[in-house]
Amino acid sequence: MSSEGATTLLVSSDSYGAVIVIRVAGELDYDCVPVFQRELSRVLDRDSGPPELLVLDLAGLTFCDSSGLAGLLWGMRRSGEAGTRMVLASVSSALLHMLRITGLLPYFETAASAAVAMGRPGPAADTEADRVPGPAWPGSGRLEVDVQADDRPGPGGGPDLDQVAQLVDQPEAPAAQ
């Protein structure tokens, strides 16, 4: 959490045909996970139906705690239920390490960048010309949230970290060698 006692999360969404790219910047922690989840739900529940591909561009993510990880797991589960393929793009080494040590990395599809996730090589793939003109749905665009510590959700308002294991269908753990 930032030193001022507030967490900042910036979320912006763009439509590229059947692909939605959600750019996440700032801190994905206990304070901001509900905002993140609302944005994912909005994208998956839009009137025109869920996208074929949802790319979470995490290049601007500066911090992710266990609540943020639970939010990503929730997003993966929610995307799967909607029939949408979800890819994490531009994942930091710190987040990759966290996914690796928790054993969750195999459950996520990752890509080096949003362009690569979309199957387009190079940075030229993410240009204004590629974007669908106008908003993909009402309210699309940039969302900036400053959450104060006293705005935290009460019991039951945040992710239930005790139930994170239920967010993915985990195979039996391999026998210890």
Side-chain angles (χ1 to χ4, degrees):
M1 185 145 69
S2 62
S3 61
E4 296 86 33
T7 300
T8 299
L9 180 70
L10 304 171
V11 180
S12 64
S13 304
D14 290 300
S15 176
Y16 301 85
V19 178
I20 300 288
V21 176
I22 297 178
R23 288 174 180 78
V24 180
E27 301 176 11
L28 186 56
D29 62 8
Y30 180 82
D31 295 324
C32 292
V33 166
V35 173
F36 175 75
Q37 290 175 326
R38 279 193 301 273
E39 179 64 10
L40 284 175
S41 291
R42 189 175 67 83
V43 166
L44 295 170
D45 295 337
R46 61 193 182 134
D47 290 338
S48 60
E52 291 176 21
L53 173 63
L54 174 61
V55 178
L56 295 182
D57 185 348
L58 305 176
L61 192 66
T62 59
F63 178 77
C64 182
D65 66 4
S66 60
S67 298
L69 183 57
L72 291 172
L73 286 167
W74 177 89
M76 180 198 48
R77 173 73 177 240
R78 185 77 170 71
S79 295
E81 290 171 353
T84 297
R85 184 174 140 231
M86 187 178 92
V87 178
L88 304 181
S90 303
V91 181
S92 71
S93 59
L95 182 55
L96 275 175
H97 179 71
M98 190 156 95
L99 291 169
R100 212 175 272 119
I101 64 170
T102 58
L104 296 172
L105 185 58
Y107 296 102
F108 288 97
E109 184 177 350
T110 61
S113 69
V116 170
M118 294 167 53
R120 300 174 175 182
D126 189 20
T127 65
E128 289 292 327
D130 288 335
R131 294 183 185 166
V132 173
W137 60 91
S140 68
R142 185 178 177 101
L143 173 67
E144 182 173 342
V145 179
D146 234 1
V147 181
Q148 299 298 322
D150 58 354
D151 292 336
R152 290 182 179 182
D160 185 353
L161 299 179
D162 293 332
Q163 296 180 4
V164 168
Q166 297 174 10
L167 295 174
V168 293
D169 298 321
Q170 295 182 356
E172 288 186 31
Q177 305 235 353

